[in-house]
Amino acid sequence: MIVVGGGHAGLEAALAAARLGCRTALVSHARAEIGRMPCNPAIGGLGKGHLVREIDVLGGQMGLAIDATGIQFRVLNRRKGPAVQAPRAQADKARYQATMAAAVDDQAGLVLIEGDATRLLAAAPGDPVDGVGLADGREVRGQRVVLCTGTFLRGLMHVGERRTRGGREGAESSEGLSGELRRLGLELRRLKTGTPPRLHADSINFSRLEPQPGDRDPRPFSFRTRSFSPPDHLCWLAYTNERTHALIRENLHRSPLYGGIIEGRGPRYCPSIEDKVVRFADRSRHLVFLEPEGEDTPEIYVNGISTSLPSDVQCALVRSIEGLERAALVRFGYAVEYDSAPSWQVAPTLECRRVPGLFLAGQLLGTSGYEEAAAQGLVAGVNAVRSLGGQPAWIPSRNESYLGVLIDDLVTKEISEPYRMFTSRAEHRLHLRCDNAETRLLEPAAQLGLLPAGELDRLRARDRARARILACLSGWRTTDPAGGPACTAADILRRPDIDLHDLAEIVRDGAGLRLALAGIVREELGDGSESLLAAGLMIDCITSIKYSGYINRQRRMLESQSHLDGLAIPADFEYRSIPALSNEAREKLSRMRPATIGQAGRIDGVRAADLAILTVLVRRHRDAAPPERGAP
Amino acid sequence: MAILESGTVVAVATPEGEGGLAVVRLSGPEALAVARRLLSAGALADPVDSHRARLALVRWPARADTGGPEPGTPLDQALVLPMLAPASYTGEDTVEFFCHGGLMPARQIAAACRAAGARGALPGEFTRRAFLNGRLSLVQAEAVAELIAAEHAAGARAALAQLTGGLNRQLAAVEGPLRDLLARIEGALEFSEEDAVGPSREDVATTLRAARRQIDDLLDLAPAGRLLRDGVQVVLVGAPNVGKSSLFNALLGADRALVDPEAGTTRDVVTAPLELDGVLFVLHDTAGLRDRAVGVEAKGVARTRETVAGADLVLALRPVTDRAQPAPALGDAPAGCPVLPVWTKGDLDPAATGMVTSSRTGQGIEALRRALLDHARAGGVAAAVARGVILNQRHQDRLLACRETIDQLLEDPGAGDEVAATLLAATLQELGAITGRVFTEQLLGEIFSRFCVGK
Ligand SMILES: Cc1cc2nc3c(=O)[nH]c(=O)nc-3n(C[C@H](O)[C@H](O)[C@H](O)COP(=O)(O)OP(=O)(O)OC[C@H]3O[C@@H](n4cnc5c(N)ncnc54)[C@H](O)[C@@H]3O)c2cc1C
Ligand SMILES: Nc1nc2c(ncn2[C@@H]2O[C@H](COP(=O)(O)OP(=O)(O)OP(=O)(O)O)[C@@H](O)[C@H]2O)c(=O)[nH]1
Ligand SMILES: [Mg+2]
């Protein structure tokens, strides 16, 4: 198997494939570029942190890598409900890359080939892809190819009026593959994204800025991280002001975005500072975060002022900010435009519908973000290997994971801007939490087989402990301190603002309950180094109890919808012959080929009436189909 | 459930028990061929002029597959209306026969079609075909079902208004502010790091309460919906011989119930529909209530009590000749069911006052009819018609579920913003399922199960 691109998607794809026993080549431009973070020096956040937790439980690398190289850890939304809390960490970029490169080197069965892939090989036109050709003429053969080329395809960088070819700062673009993809019948579209300037730490007046430390009790991303005492470097808050905004407005005509030079679509939720000033004209200031790029570099990332204005304007606007009056810009912000392949062209396995054997993942498929890329890399890598071995595809579902939400959204939504994960995209959000990733994904993790056996055993032990803790809490009879009827410890936990500490104070024989719970944890997990896993487990248990009423209620409400996800549409279903469907629905359904009625319903432009008709016809198709004659 | 069948099907398409014109609908790929077998050559000659009715003599087919009348027996002189696909109700080739002679000839024509190769239509099959051929949206299909159920003007008007979006509009008004609220909560959850501030608890509560009031308003129309669909159930009760059956007949303007000087004439409940000003009433004449009834009479009294239990309005009858008679005991009337005292045999005491009627002279009958209508309007029928909303059980269930969720959010201090947002999103999903913007498979079953034969 061949993975092209050693970014966040490519790394997970290649590592997963090799771990599953497949001889894998990772073709990437330069070893030094592997696992690079071209933008934010951070991993995690809302939705994204959820993805990393899931990737970790399934046996991916990202969680371990950030735990080993993070320099500040924080749980976001601490004061809000557990479903919308997520870990985020500032990364030491250089060390993160080194850790990832080491993981590649150490992985048996995985070889790194440095080079620029320019061609996709096939025995004959229309045949499955069976290799890639490099710019220097070398050819690499393999039965599956996973493309994870990020922002590199025909990448074009903009700083003001200045345009340069390149995948990102300091890196050549990749010019060959776009033509190859088009030749194979794929549609490509221009997208764009941008990054802010970097400042030299010594030029910043930190005394004028508001410091933002990490959590005092940092929590790791990975359940496999045993001992955890990361450094805690400060980030800083600053604010733009009316002067900054006036400067931007005066120079808007020099922004390639507003000058109409950039044709690609950028993300709405990650607007450039130009966008913010134009769209939120009534706001007198915007928040800016200063984040260190690592321990051994003076570079500071300026989160919040992503821009492609010319360098003189960038300088002036940064210096208009209090505390940054003398700031030295070590890198300018820029925007990059690139080719992406609209994701309706892939199946939920991330294999191209039109090109068997070719898988796509990451920014190339229209997403944005390291975590989103890594999640797809894992799914593509796993499914590429499974398809080689004739195993059934693994398709995560929406009610089990954010991975499922991501994949389902990719294959059902017409994505017009780079796709980023949000918790509000998950209708089962109360269930899809960071604290219970181990619970939710134990089964798939066992099925995929990426985790070392010992780690899987720990997950199983954790699961047993969980069941026993829940049983213990809901069987612990006690009197109601508020004077209500007799109840259980679980009933009391369900009340707002009651945590485990309060519980032990309130219930009958609280000390006994503590002992019983500790006993369960010790028996199942052992003590000492296991305390991280155990701490996470208790949060999972408490939250599950607190949320159970809501989750059940919401499940009931969504039941009819989940049922639709069980109604499969035959792969050869012919939409064009159904005149009753609206034109739009017919066109989109034949293009996107949803796997279930539920998926069909999530496609924009497919109305309820279309679905009803489809349901009836799919039933008839199924009832009329001859009995299975076995796989061809 | 075998939802889809192929072939050419036929059925009488007017409701059973309706007088006047009866329609036989024949639909499917072979419709024209089947019809030609019942008509003289040339009556439906190619090329068929679609949507032009012609008068023709319909006969039993010459080469019928099975028994029946002699081949060629004339059945009825009917208007024959061919409609070519896709411009027909079902979207298929269709032929409709309008029979003057009412139901009997209609049934014979349908039988003749079957003898000529068509198959009897299954319940709801025409509508299902229409639906599958894209002739009806889901909401329309449901409104058609309402229309079929509402055989009277007011119900039909409300169902028609529904067809053009009455309910949708009302629901949109509920949804709009909720959607807005949801967006604000979500924004604050996702971007709390970046200063995003969500709505205050007060804001949330105000919006939720407003939505709840709107849902209540809609739910208030639910009883009216039932009244419109099933009719206002009016039960006449009173002691034996007070003139119940006579008043029943007088209200109907037709002799439907037996009248006799003998007390205890009516032994069982007699029911008849009455349409006033487009509103459907169902009148029930009952056995006289008396304490010491035995045998058949006792059974009659028991049936009276059952009927009273299902009443929307009870007319408690007493004769003017015996003003001292105690009002009938109505222990079984549903709670809140209004009871209208009515005096009978008014002609026997010209000095009587109150709601005085005489079945003999017609005195007070018109006034009583108006009182019935006033009652129906008080029951919200007029509002439901005006707002174009008929709620059926499915609508009600979903609205109740939404209200329950809103109540839960209003009452539960432990529910954080993420819970509120998640449940709100699910609620909006539920609301969408009412109008068919959100599809659920049950919806399909629910809707199709409500079509009556052959529609
Ligand atoms: C300027 C910029 C701004 C960004 N801003 C944001 C942001 O604000 N928020 C956010 O979430 N994300 C942002 N990102 C996106 C984030 O970097 C990506 O989403 C993420 O890195 C995508 O991972 P990937 O694996 O798909 O691709 P990448 O990380 O881009 O990795 C691609 C890899 O493939 C290699 N490669 C490409 N083509 C070839 C080829 N033909 N042959 C061999 N090797 C090849 C490259 O060398 C590189 O190593 C930004 C990216 C850039 C460049
Ligand atoms: N004068 C007069 N007689 C009436 C009037 N209405 C009914 N009667 C007479 O009263 C007698 C009883 O009438 P019904 O209508 O059969 O009374 P009922 O209440 O149905 O009696 P049961 O069914 O036996 O309980 C008959 O002889 C009627 O002719 C009226 O308005 N005026
Ligand atoms: Mg009588």
Side-chain angles (χ1 to χ4, degrees):
Chain A
M1 177 162 136
I2 303 167
V3 176
V4 179
H8 306 280
L11 282 167
E12 296 293 350
L15 288 168
R19 283 172 187 157
L20 292 176
C22 192
R23 284 183 48 227
T24 307
L26 174 58
V27 177
S28 202
H29 284 143
R31 188 174 188 285
E33 290 282 312
I34 278 185
R36 188 162 135 190
M37 301 184 188
C39 195
N40 240 10
I43 297 276
L46 250 65
K48 292 164 171 276
H50 288 81
L51 283 170
V52 181
R53 292 279 291 123
E54 295 177 358
I55 290 168
D56 180 64
V57 174
L58 293 169
Q61 197 65 23
M62 188 170 244
L64 285 172
I66 183 62
D67 283 352
T69 60
I71 56 173
Q72 186 208 78
F73 287 77
R74 227 150 54 83
V75 171
L76 303 191
N77 271 347
R78 271 213 166 197
R79 297 220 297 279
K80 307 212 156 130
V84 288
Q85 294 182 8
R88 181 175 187 278
Q90 299 300 140
D92 184 311
K93 282 187 174 179
R95 254 181 257 155
Y96 186 89
Q97 281 179 246
T99 304
M100 277 299 190
V104 170
D105 293 340
D106 294 348
Q107 180 58 52
L110 178 60
V111 292
L112 175 65
I113 298 173
E114 287 182 297
D116 179 30
T118 52
R119 285 168 300 136
L120 294 170
L121 309 177
D127 276 9
V129 170
D130 68 355
V132 298
L134 308 188
D136 58 16
R138 280 180 292 168
E139 290 190 350
V140 188
R141 294 285 169 178
Q143 297 180 55
R144 298 287 183 271
V145 175
V146 185
L147 283 189
C148 310
T149 52
T151 51
F152 282 69
L153 296 195
R154 296 206 306 124
L156 190 59
M157 298 185 292
H158 301 255
V159 183
E161 295 89 351
R162 196 161 53 80
R163 286 190 277 167
T164 16
R165 280 190 194 287
R168 58 191 176 209
E169 192 183 26
E172 294 284 298
S173 63
S174 168
E175 298 294 318
L177 286 180
S178 291
E180 289 286 274
L181 291 174
R182 283 226 173 77
R183 180 178 59 80
L184 291 170
L186 287 171
E187 186 183 316
L188 300 181
R189 158 183 337 173
R190 293 300 264 179
L191 289 178
K192 77 120 207 175
T193 185
T195 193
R198 311 296 196 271
L199 311 181
H200 197 291
D202 296 345
S203 68
I204 297 171
N205 182 359
F206 288 108
S207 67
R208 309 297 305 162
L209 303 177
E210 196 181 311
Q212 190 187 43
D215 287 340
R216 250 179 284 156
D217 56 334
R219 271 190 239 140
F221 283 80
S222 174
F223 82 95
R224 288 173 275 172
T225 295
R226 303 299 165 95
S227 60
F228 190 60
S229 44
D232 184 22
H233 290 271
L234 291 178
C235 292
W236 306 85
L237 304 186
Y239 297 93
T240 61
N241 53 44
E242 294 292 7
R243 225 152 40 84
T244 324
H245 300 179
L247 246 160
I248 292 169
R249 271 192 290 269
E250 282 157 27
N251 287 286
L252 265 188
H253 61 282
R254 298 177 64 197
S255 156
L257 253 182
Y258 284 86
I261 296 171
I262 291 189
E263 36 182 294
R265 282 287 287 272
R268 253 177 315 171
Y269 42 79
C270 193
S272 63
I273 187 69
E274 297 96 295
D275 274 332
K276 290 191 202 173
V277 168
V278 170
R279 280 200 282 145
F280 304 99
D282 53 325
R283 289 195 43 182
S284 59
R285 64 179 203 178
H286 291 280
L287 190 56
V288 175
F289 296 89
L290 301 185
E291 306 173 5
E293 295 241 323
E295 289 193 314
D296 307 322
T297 166
E299 284 189 29
I300 301 284
Y301 176 91
V302 195
N303 188 342
I305 56 164
S306 154
T307 180
S308 55
L309 283 163
S311 36
D312 58 307
V313 187
Q314 291 192 23
C315 261
L317 88 86
V318 166
R319 289 179 184 165
S320 72
I321 294 173
E322 185 173 356
L324 306 183
E325 294 85 353
R326 291 152 176 283
L329 278 69
V330 288
R331 288 170 206 278
F332 289 106
Y334 64 94
V336 60
E337 267 190 291
Y338 55 95
D339 285 344
S340 77
S343 55
W344 52 261
Q345 301 175 103
V346 296
T349 54
L350 302 189
E351 184 170 8
C352 292
R353 297 182 189 284
R354 277 169 163 263
V355 192
L358 181 65
F359 292 70
L360 309 181
Q363 192 108 359
L364 170 63
L365 257 191
T367 63
S368 153
Y370 315 134
E371 304 82 355
E372 287 84 349
Q376 293 164 68
L378 185 78
V379 172
V382 161
N383 279 308
V385 175
R386 290 175 79 88
S387 71
L388 271 176
Q391 285 170 287
W394 176 64
I395 296 167
S397 75
R398 293 186 77 89
N399 53 22
E400 151 195 292
S401 61
Y402 276 87
L403 251 76
V405 173
L406 172 66
I407 300 295
D408 190 70
D409 280 351
L410 285 179
V411 300
T412 58
K413 296 217 165 10
E414 292 255 41
I415 291 165
S416 57
E417 60 186 342
Y419 177 101
R420 172 206 200 279
M421 186 49 74
F422 292 105
T423 67
S424 51
R425 295 196 194 269
E427 59 277 49
H428 296 278
R429 166 165 62 187
L430 297 181
H431 177 56
L432 305 188
R433 305 186 306 269
C434 285
D435 61 67
N436 69 352
E438 287 91 349
T439 308
R440 289 185 276 124
L441 294 170
L442 169 60
E443 274 322 305
Q447 190 195 338
L448 294 192
L450 282 172
L451 283 176
E455 298 293 356
L456 191 59
D457 288 344
R458 288 177 74 225
L459 283 186
R460 291 224 163 90
R462 180 193 175 281
D463 211 51
R464 284 193 303 275
R466 182 176 187 273
R468 288 179 59 190
I469 290 169
L470 291 178
C472 173
L473 288 169
S474 51
W476 198 269
R477 310 226 130 260
T478 182
T479 49
D480 181 354
C487 59
T488 67
D491 293 331
I492 292 181
L493 257 185
R494 223 163 269 143
R495 296 184 190 156
D497 303 326
I498 298 270
D499 63 16
L500 210 51
H501 285 286
D502 309 325
L503 185 70
E505 305 292 315
I506 293 172
V507 294
R508 177 187 295 156
D509 190 12
L513 178 60
R514 267 183 208 264
L515 277 177
L517 296 179
I520 293 173
V521 172
R522 201 171 40 248
E523 278 170 43
E524 299 290 358
L525 293 177
D527 43 16
S529 67
E530 303 289 4
S531 61
L532 282 175
L533 191 63
L537 168 62
M538 288 317 292
I539 298 175
D540 173 6
C541 290
I542 294 168
T543 312
S544 300
I545 289 175
K546 283 198 180 294
Y547 273 155
S548 64
Y550 305 123
I551 292 179
N552 288 339
R553 169 164 199 88
Q554 188 214 358
R555 282 245 165 95
R556 274 201 309 281
M557 292 175 86
L558 296 178
E559 223 158 55
S560 49
Q561 295 301 300
S562 320
H563 168 70
L564 297 181
D565 279 318
L567 283 182
I569 303 177
D572 58 346
F573 196 77
E574 187 44 78
Y575 296 99
R576 304 208 184 270
S577 61
I578 308 173
L581 294 175
S582 69
N583 286 336
E584 188 182 4
R586 204 176 319 127
E587 187 269 323
K588 289 204 170 153
L589 288 166
S590 12
R591 195 148 52 83
M592 301 198 171
R593 307 218 65 88
T596 65
I597 297 280
Q599 270 187 3
R602 288 186 287 273
I603 296 176
D604 278 350
V606 175
R607 306 158 313 157
D610 296 319
L611 280 189
I613 288 161
L614 206 57
T615 308
V616 175
L617 294 178
V618 162
R619 280 250 186 84
R620 181 174 63 164
H621 185 103
R622 191 184 56 195
D623 295 344
E628 293 268 331
R629 264 175 292 125
Chain B
M1 168 172 56
I3 286 198
L4 200 91
E5 296 79 22
S6 50
T8 299
V9 294
V10 67
V12 179
T14 27
E16 298 279 331
E18 287 283 289
L21 209 66
V23 180
V24 176
R25 180 177 290 146
L26 173 66
S27 175
E30 296 293 306
L32 289 174
V34 170
R36 286 192 184 113
R37 286 179 204 136
L38 315 187
L39 303 172
S40 54
L44 270 182
D46 262 329
V48 172
D49 210 354
S50 186
H51 289 83
R52 252 203 50 219
R54 57 219 78 193
L55 202 61
L57 187 64
V58 184
R59 299 169 184 275
W60 194 259
R63 272 172 312 171
D65 296 346
T66 47
E70 280 295 299
T73 309
L75 301 176
D76 192 23
Q77 183 81 19
L79 266 177
V80 180
L81 176 64
M83 288 170 282
L84 297 185
S88 70
Y89 177 74
T90 55
E92 307 170 321
D93 282 352
T94 299
V95 179
E96 289 185 355
F97 300 87
F98 295 79
C99 322
H100 302 86
L103 209 54
M104 273 318 289
R107 285 193 185 139
Q108 281 185 319
I109 290 178
C113 289
R114 289 197 299 272
R119 169 171 68 65
L122 296 171
E125 190 165 358
F126 287 134
T127 306
R128 285 202 298 266
R129 286 173 178 230
F131 177 67
L132 289 175
N133 288 320
R135 306 288 297 172
L136 292 178
S137 79
L138 216 49
V139 192
Q140 280 177 319
E142 195 167 39
V144 168
E146 295 292 352
L147 215 56
I148 293 163
E151 288 159 19
H152 51 99
R157 262 205 309 280
L160 272 174
Q162 186 124 317
L163 203 66
T164 53
L167 182 58
N168 284 13
R169 261 198 308 283
Q170 309 280 333
L171 286 172
V174 182
E175 281 176 337
L178 287 182
R179 233 171 248 298
D180 209 59
L181 179 70
L182 180 60
R184 290 167 61 204
I185 300 178
E186 292 289 11
L189 286 175
E190 304 280 1
F191 300 109
S192 66
E193 291 291 305
E194 285 146 59
D195 268 2
V197 184
S200 67
R201 284 241 145 213
E202 268 326 289
D203 267 8
V204 175
T206 310
T207 311
L208 287 180
R209 277 197 211 101
R212 194 189 186 288
R213 267 195 306 279
Q214 284 171 304
I215 290 180
D216 275 341
D217 276 358
L218 277 176
L219 280 169
D220 281 347
L221 298 177
R226 188 187 61 74
L227 294 185
L228 278 176
R229 211 172 32 246
D230 303 341
V232 185
Q233 309 298 313
V234 181
V235 183
L236 287 72
V237 295
N241 224 26
V242 294
K244 298 181 293 294
S245 300
S246 304
L247 187 60
F248 178 82
N249 289 340
L251 283 170
L252 291 173
D255 283 345
R256 297 290 277 270
L258 277 182
V259 171
D260 199 90
E262 182 90 14
T265 305
T266 308
R267 293 288 174 87
D268 201 352
V269 179
V270 181
T271 296
L274 167 67
E275 188 174 326
L276 295 176
D277 215 6
V279 180
L280 180 70
F281 295 84
V282 181
L283 303 189
H284 302 269
D285 179 24
T286 61
L289 289 172
R290 86 165 108 200
D291 295 339
R292 248 166 280 152
V294 286
V296 188
E297 221 184 322
K299 281 192 189 138
V301 171
R303 292 272 289 129
T304 300
R305 294 192 182 286
E306 273 170 37
T307 311
V308 167
D312 294 315
L313 173 64
V314 173
L315 301 184
L317 274 49
R318 279 178 289 169
V320 287
T321 49
D322 187 5
R323 298 197 71 125
Q325 198 181 87
L330 292 169
D332 307 295
C337 168
V339 177
L340 186 62
V342 178
W343 298 103
T344 57
K345 307 189 186 179
D347 53 300
L348 297 181
D349 179 4
T353 53
M355 174 61 78
V356 180
T357 64
S358 165
S359 308
R360 189 150 295 169
T361 64
Q363 173 196 351
I365 299 298
E366 214 23 66
L368 182 54
R369 286 192 178 138
R370 271 200 306 281
L372 294 185
L373 269 173
D374 287 346
H375 168 79
R377 296 204 172 105
V381 165
V385 173
R387 291 170 71 179
V389 174
I390 294 188
L391 293 184
N392 60 31
Q393 198 57 48
R394 184 173 73 82
H395 302 149
Q396 261 186 76
D397 290 348
R398 295 240 151 84
L399 283 173
L400 283 170
C402 292
R403 191 173 72 179
E404 210 182 303
T405 306
I406 291 177
D407 283 345
Q408 189 181 19
L409 288 175
L410 278 170
E411 285 156 19
D412 186 349
D417 287 351
E418 81 287 9
V419 172
T422 310
L423 293 186
L424 262 183
T427 300
L428 287 167
Q429 179 95 356
E430 284 284 293
L431 285 174
I434 295 182
T435 51
R437 259 181 302 107
V438 172
F439 171 73
T440 69
E441 210 196 1
Q442 289 94 307
L443 192 60
L444 204 62
E446 283 164 29
I447 290 172
F448 284 146
S449 69
R450 296 181 50 247
F451 291 105
C452 41
V453 176
K455 288 291 145 25

